């Protein structure tokens, strides 16, 4: 463990330069070869599109007539269309000029659209002009294919629902979650006026005011569209005597509404469900409610002596941690002093006044709460002051299930309102996941709600990655550990299978996701544990997450499975491999036990570190807490010979360390941004670390570990299919080359701002482990550090490779929000560590940092 004391605190990073890159015109983007071929074959391509369009229009007209003839079918005011476009150059929002609303983006350039004009008049005109070789219609070459939206319902329903889609019975009642797009075709966030198009300041100011007014009108129009779509959905399902389950006062909860869509849970007949999926034009996502992964525990608990340890209350201003779980045994002797009794609530229908944890086998929420206070072991004697206040938000029932009446976006928003806005809570432990792998096409309503709430508030959600069951569970796509072993997939390789992917909502971009590793190894004559100490647990769900984001980011000790090595193997777990947890005694049993395993109990140990950071840096942003946790994480030595890409998927950035997160040592220094830093799209902000000569002139014998972590957040848009369009603004970071001063570094960043992702222009100064791009950039092929909103990378550098100035640039990029004033807050952390522990570097580097005047630069290169 790294030595830490108050004399080795983190020191501020200093911003030295910042500038803005000029926009790059669309014409500079590279067209796909398919588009170039279409331009060279106007008759062939235009003719194919025209034939497809005529067929689609005919089917639409027939469908409309049929619905009008059937009294039990609600009329439709639009029809669904699927397009495949050139993803390199075609802007989906440009479809609005064709009278087509973008409902959702899919992979490989596919777009779900809707049109109120069933003749698709504007699209027909453009195709005819394209065939006639009119230049104004050249963008038709970027539209590769047109498909009737009714022909691909599998693009809308979840994988689990699609597996038994043909078995849905007309008269059976189903409960599903639906996502409805509501951007319309007229409202649009246009580009900000360009200064060089106007002759003087007055004309430019007038254009700016017009842009502001138009933007305000667009937001008002979107609100009206949402309201109308809600009414249309309720009317549609009402024809089948269906209802919206997740309504409050007859209104869809505002928490389920994002900037581009809303989500809700509905109850409807099978006949109505099929009609909804096939014909309701604005729907883009239909899935069955997530079931919470069942809790499996040892049946026999060894009774332990009652602890004589005394927990003392936290400081009155100590951090508050909200435990969103199955309730807490609040009068438990090991928890009572830390419970915020005035803020205990239940969301269980009919049980709002019951907040106790009655889950059999020692509870679930009680164990989670205990792991926040006691992350390593539970004292038996003496006394200790609690680190934080625990707040009890009960959403799981006595069977450890999430009732179907509870729609996660709704209750999560209410919880954040009650605990954050009313009592200042910043940290939320959410050890609840579904039983199946998360989807990778869209961000789920559950996960996007976490992202939206994080965007709106200075909060941190710590979530569990999800667990693999020991034995098969009927009706799910999640294979059990036993099934993998029977299929001759060995541990830990089977964790790389798709069925082992993290569970909903662990894919949330702005939550901190936690997997599990084993803390010990068990072996007897008849059985052995599957993992070695510090190795990924046999049940821990793995990455990557949605859009190849690095998930889980970190891991903690959550136990392991034990096998008898038979054929087929019998799996269980024993007290020897289970973490020590506080148990609820409401149904009998011991107050302490080792009787359960899971990522549910790994997550709160990371929450403990977050609470410690909140106590140490009470005025700092939760983005910094998340950055410091990830910055402190390391891969265990046992993974030194494994495939690094596999390790990244198993355990993310590794096991976090409290001492490294909070402080430093003589041979290690951490520099941090203070306060919530803000950046806009096309901006670059350069931070400089001065390295004293005595550390750079000792020859190549000294090795330094350099670690960099960027943590940011942005507003989500759920109908988009990649992180660049999902986020309003997205960020990444870049390192200076050897000997590159801040000014030259900034100039290079602005000049190369619009370089393609596969450009060979890359950081060649250091051999970063991941790199910015997936190809030929880092030591791990096919992985990018820039894929998520937490971006860590690390390298080992020789002392002779370092120069006086070491610079990191944080760079903002345009996401879905075209507003030039759209901002993304972030925190940046940089660490230097001498791998020879006796070499003191902290004092020398800290002394070298002096205040530097910020210089503003703008890239004036004509593009």
């Amino acid at each position: 463990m790294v030595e830490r004391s108050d004399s080795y605190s983190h020191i501020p990073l200093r911003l030295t330069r910042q500038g803005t890159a000029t926009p790059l015109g669309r014409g500079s983007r590279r067209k796909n070869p398919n588009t170039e071929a279409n331009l060279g074959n106007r008759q062939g391509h235009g003719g194919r599109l025209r034939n497809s369009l005529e067929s689609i229009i005919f089917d639409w007209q027939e469908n409309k007539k049929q619905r009008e003839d059937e009294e039990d079918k609600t009329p439709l005011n639009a029809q669904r269309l699927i397009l495949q476009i050139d993803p390199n150059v075609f802007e989906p929002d440009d479809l609005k000029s064709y009278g087509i609303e973008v409902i959702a983006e899919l992979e490989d350039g596919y777009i779900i659209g809707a049109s109120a004009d069933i003749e698709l008049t504007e699209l027909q005109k453009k195709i005819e002009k394209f065939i006639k070789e009119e230049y104004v219609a050249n963008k038709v070459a970027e539209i590769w294919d047109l498909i009737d939206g009714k022909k691909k319902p599998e693009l809308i329903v979840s994988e689990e629902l699609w597996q038994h889609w043909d078995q849905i019975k007309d008269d059976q009642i189903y409960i599903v979650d639906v996502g409805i797009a509501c951007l319309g075709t007229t409202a649009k966030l246009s580009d900000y006026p360009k200064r060089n198009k106007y002759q003087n300041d007055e004309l430019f100011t007038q254009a700016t005011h017009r842009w502001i007014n138009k933007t305000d009108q667009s937001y008002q129009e979107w609100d009206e569209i949402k309201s109308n779509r809600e009414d249309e959905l309720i009317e549609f399902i009402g024809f089948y005597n269906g209802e919206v389950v997740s309504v409050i006062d007859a209104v869809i909860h505002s928490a389920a509404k994002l900037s581009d869509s809303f989500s809700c849970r509905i109850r409807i007949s099978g006949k109505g469900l099929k009609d909804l999926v096939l014909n309701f034009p604005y729907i883009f996502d239909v899935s069955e409610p997530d079931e919470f992964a069942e809790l499996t525990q040892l049946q026999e608990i060894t009774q332990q002596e009652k602890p004589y340890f005394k927990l003392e209350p936290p400081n009155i201003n100590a951090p508050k941690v909200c435990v969103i779980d199955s309730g807490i045994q609040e009068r438990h002797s090991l928890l009572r002093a830390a419970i915020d009794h005035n803020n205990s609530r239940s969301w269980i229908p009919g049980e709002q006044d019951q907040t106790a944890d009655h889950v059999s086998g020692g509870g679930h929420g009680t164990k989670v709460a205990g792991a926040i206070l006691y992350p390593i072991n539970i004292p038996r004697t003496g006394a200790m002051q609690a680190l934080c206040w625990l707040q009890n938000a009960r959403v799981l029932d006595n069977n450890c299930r999430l009732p179907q009446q509870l729609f996660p976006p709704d209750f999560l928003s209410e919880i954040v309102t009650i605990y954050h806005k009313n009592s200042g809570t910043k940290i939320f432990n959410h050890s609840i996941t579904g039983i199946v792998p998360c989807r990778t096409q869209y961000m789920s309503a559950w996960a996007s709600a976490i992202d939206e709430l994080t965007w709106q508030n200075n909060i941190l959600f710590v979530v569990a990655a999800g667990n693999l069951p020991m034995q098969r569970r009927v009706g799910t796509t999640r294979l059990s550990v036993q099934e993998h072993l029977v299929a001759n997939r060995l541990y830990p390789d089977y964790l790389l299978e798709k069925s082992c992917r993290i569970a909903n909502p662990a894919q949330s971009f702005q939550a901190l996701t936690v997997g599990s590793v084993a803390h010990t190894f068990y072996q007897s004559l008849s059985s052995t544990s599957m993992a070695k100490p510090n190795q990924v647990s046999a049940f821990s769900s793995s990455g990557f997450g949605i859009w190849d984001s690095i998930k889980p980011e970190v891991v903690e000790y959550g136990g392991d499975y034990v096998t008898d090595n038979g054929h087929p193997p019998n799996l269980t777990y024993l007290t020897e491999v289970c973490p020590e947890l506080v148990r609820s005694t409401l149904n009998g049993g011991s107050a302490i036990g080792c009787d359960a395993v899971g990522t549910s109990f790994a997550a709160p140990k990371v929450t403990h570190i977050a609470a410690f950071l909140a106590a140490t840096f009470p005025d700092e942003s939760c983005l910094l807490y998340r950055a410091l946790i990830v910055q402190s994480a390391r891969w265990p030595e046992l993974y030194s010979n494994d495939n690094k890409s596999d390790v990244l998927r198993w355990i993310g950035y590794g096991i976090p360390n409290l001492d490294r997160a909070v402080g430093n040592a003589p041979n290690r220094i951490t520099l941090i941004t203070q306060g919530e830093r803000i950046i806009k799209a096309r901006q670059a902000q350069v931070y400089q670390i001065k390295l004293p000569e005595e550390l750079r002139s000792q020859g190549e014998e000294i090795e330094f570990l350099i670690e960099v972590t960027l943590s940011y957040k942005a507003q989500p848009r759920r109908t988009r299919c990649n992180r660049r369009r999902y986020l309003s603004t997205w960020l990444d970071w870049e390192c200076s080359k050897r000997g590159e001063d801040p000014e030259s570094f900034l100039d290079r960043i602005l000049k190369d701002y619009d370089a393609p992702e596969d450009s060979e222009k890359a950081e060649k100064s250091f051999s970063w482990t991941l790199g910015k791009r997936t190809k030929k950039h880092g030591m791990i092929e096919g992985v990018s550090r820039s894929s998520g909103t937490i971006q860590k990378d690390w390298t080992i550098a020789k002392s002779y490779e370092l120069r006086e100035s070491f610079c990191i640039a944080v760079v903002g990029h345009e996401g879905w929000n075209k507003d030039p004033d759209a901002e993304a807050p972030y925190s940046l952390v940089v660490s230097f560590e001498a791998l020879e522990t006796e070499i003191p570097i902290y004092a020398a580097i800290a002394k070298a940092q002096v205040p530097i005047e910020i210089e503003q630069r703008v890239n004036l290169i004509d593009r």
Side-chain angles (χ1 to χ4, degrees), residues 99-326:
I100 299 172
E101 176 181 349
V102 177
I103 302 303
E105 287 185 67
L106 309 175
E107 296 177 345
D108 300 323
Y110 284 99
I111 293 175
I112 299 175
S115 175
D117 174 15
I118 64 172
E119 300 290 338
L120 290 168
T121 308
E122 291 302 318
L123 182 55
Q124 287 197 70
K125 291 179 180 177
K126 292 285 177 63
I127 291 175
E128 292 303 321
K129 289 181 179 180
F130 177 77
I131 293 174
K132 294 176 182 178
E133 300 189 6
E134 295 185 27
Y135 178 80
V136 294
N138 276 2
K139 289 194 72 65
V140 171
E142 300 166 13
I143 300 175
W144 296 347
D145 199 6
L146 300 171
I147 305 169
D148 187 346
K150 290 180 64 175
K151 294 183 178 180
K152 285 188 173 291
E154 66 272 19
L155 297 179
I156 294 173
V157 302
S158 67
E159 181 181 353
E160 289 73 34
L161 184 56
W162 183 248
Q163 284 186 345
H164 56 265
W165 183 250
D166 58 350
Q167 302 169 18
I168 290 179
K169 299 178 181 178
D170 286 353
D171 57 352
Q172 186 170 330
I173 301 300
Y174 297 86
I175 295 179
V176 294
D177 295 342
V178 299
I180 309 297
C182 45
L183 284 178
T185 57
T186 55
K188 180 181 178 181
L189 290 179
S190 58
D191 293 336
Y192 191 76
K194 295 182 180 180
R195 179 65 180 86
N196 58 6
K197 288 187 175 182
Y198 299 92
Q199 297 178 351
N200 54 52
D201 291 344
E202 182 179 355
L203 291 175
F204 177 65
T205 300
Q206 292 174 359
T208 301
H209 287 161
R210 289 194 299 270
W211 180 87
I212 293 173
N213 292 334
K214 186 176 180 181
T215 300
D216 291 341
Q217 292 173 5
S218 293
Y219 280 112
Q220 292 174 10
E221 188 170 332
W222 285 329
D223 288 338
E224 293 175 3
I225 292 172
K226 283 181 185 176
S227 179
N228 293 335
R229 298 275 162 91
E230 291 173 24
D231 294 340
E232 291 177 45
L233 175 66
I234 292 172
E235 180 184 1
F236 191 102
I237 64 179
F239 272 86
Y240 299 97
N241 296 317
E243 63 174 337
V244 178
V245 178
S246 56
V247 296
I248 298 175
D249 298 328
V251 178
I252 293 176
H253 199 286
S254 61
K257 301 178 184 180
L258 300 180
S259 62
D260 64 333
S261 61
F262 67 88
S263 303
C264 59
R265 181 163 292 175
I266 66 172
R267 181 184 289 109
I268 193 171
S269 67
K271 183 178 182 180
L273 176 59
K274 287 184 283 188
D275 190 20
L276 185 73
V277 169
L278 292 176
N279 291 298
F280 193 73
Y282 311 116
I283 198 165
F284 67 90
D285 182 35
V286 181
S287 59
E288 295 175 298
D290 281 277
E291 292 184 54
F292 178 45
E294 66 182 35
L295 182 66
T296 54
Q297 304 182 92
L298 293 175
Q299 298 300 310
E300 297 182 5
I301 304 297
T302 302
Q303 295 291 324
Q304 299 185 24
E305 75 282 3
K306 180 179 180 180
Y308 293 96
F309 165 78
K310 181 181 180 181
L311 181 69
E312 297 177 348
N315 293 328
I316 190 170
N317 294 322
K320 300 180 180 72
V321 176
C322 180
V323 181
I324 307 171
D325 217 281
S326 64

Side-chain angles (χ1 to χ4, degrees), residues 465-468 481 485 490-497 500-502 513-521 528-544 551-562 577 597-599 602 634-640 642-655:
N467 306 320
L468 310 184
V481 174
L485 296 177
L490 301 179
Y491 166 85
D493 294 341
Y494 64 75
L495 293 174
L496 303 175
E497 297 290 320
C500 298
R501 188 171 58 247
I502 57 173
T513 303
V514 185
S516 175
V517 289
H519 66 282
T520 188
F521 180 73
T528 60
S529 54
M530 297 184 66
K532 298 176 182 178
N534 296 325
Q535 196 171 18
V536 61
S537 302
F539 55 76
S540 185
S541 298
S542 300
F544 296 119
K551 292 281 183 175
E553 289 96 345
V554 294
V555 288
E556 258 288 0
Y557 299 107
D560 194 27
Y561 286 159
V562 172
V577 298
V597 300
T599 57
R634 300 273 177 87
W635 287 353
E637 286 293 329
L638 64 87
Y639 282 118
S640 58
D642 287 271
N643 182 294
K644 299 300 185 290
S645 178
D646 295 346
V647 177
L648 197 66
R649 291 176 63 184
W650 290 329
I651 64 171
Y653 299 109
I655 304 173

Side-chain angles (χ1 to χ4, degrees), residues 44 201 298 359 532 775 777 807:
D201 291 344
L298 293 175
V359 174
K532 298 176 182 178
K775 296 181 180 179
H777 204 177
C807 299

Side-chain angles (χ1 to χ4, degrees), residues 509-713:
F509 253 35
Q510 293 173 170
L512 185 60
T513 303
V514 185
S516 175
V517 289
H519 66 282
T520 188
F521 180 73
Y522 172 81
Q523 185 172 24
S524 69
L525 293 177
S526 60
S527 59
T528 60
S529 54
M530 297 184 66
K532 298 176 182 178
N534 296 325
Q535 196 171 18
V536 61
S537 302
F539 55 76
S540 185
S541 298
S542 300
F544 296 119
I546 189 171
W547 309 318
D548 293 328
S549 57
I550 296 172
K551 292 281 183 175
E553 289 96 345
V554 294
V555 288
E556 258 288 0
Y557 299 107
D560 194 27
Y561 286 159
V562 172
T563 176
D564 65 358
N565 298 309
H567 300 282
N570 292 312
L571 300 177
T572 185
Y573 49 94
L574 307 173
T575 57
E576 288 82 356
V577 298
C578 296
E580 186 176 72
L581 301 168
V582 175
R583 299 182 74 258
S584 170
T585 60
L586 296 178
N587 292 318
S590 174
I592 301 173
C594 300
D595 63 335
V597 300
T599 57
S600 289
F601 312 121
K605 297 183 179 186
V606 174
T607 299
H608 174 88
I609 300 177
F612 204 107
L613 288 166
T616 308
F617 309 108
D619 299 324
E620 289 293 345
S621 164
C622 285
L623 291 174
L624 178 63
Y625 305 159
R626 185 171 67 144
L628 287 171
I629 291 170
V630 170
Q631 181 82 341
S632 75
R634 300 273 177 87
W635 287 353
E637 286 293 329
L638 64 87
Y639 282 118
S640 58
N641 295 322
D642 287 271
N643 182 294
K644 299 300 185 290
S645 178
D646 295 346
V647 177
L648 197 66
R649 291 176 63 184
W650 290 329
I651 64 171
Y653 299 109
I655 304 173
N657 178 279
L658 176 61
D659 288 331
R660 282 197 296 266
V662 177
N664 298 278
N667 68 310
R668 184 175 189 268
I669 186 169
T670 299
L671 303 98
I672 64 173
T673 52
Q674 293 181 316
E676 197 173 72
R677 297 299 175 95
I678 300 295
I679 195 170
K680 300 177 183 179
R682 307 196 71 82
Q683 279 191 343
Q685 297 180 349
V686 176
Y687 294 86
Q688 179 184 18
I689 298 101
K690 292 273 193 177
L691 300 176
E693 183 179 356
E694 61 265 28
L695 297 181
R696 297 181 281 108
S697 59
Q698 298 184 40
E700 61 182 69
E701 299 301 322
I702 302 177
E703 289 187 323
F704 293 92
L705 172 64
I706 305 173
E707 299 168 290
V708 180
T709 300
L710 171 67
S711 171
Y712 75 95
K713 63 181 180 179

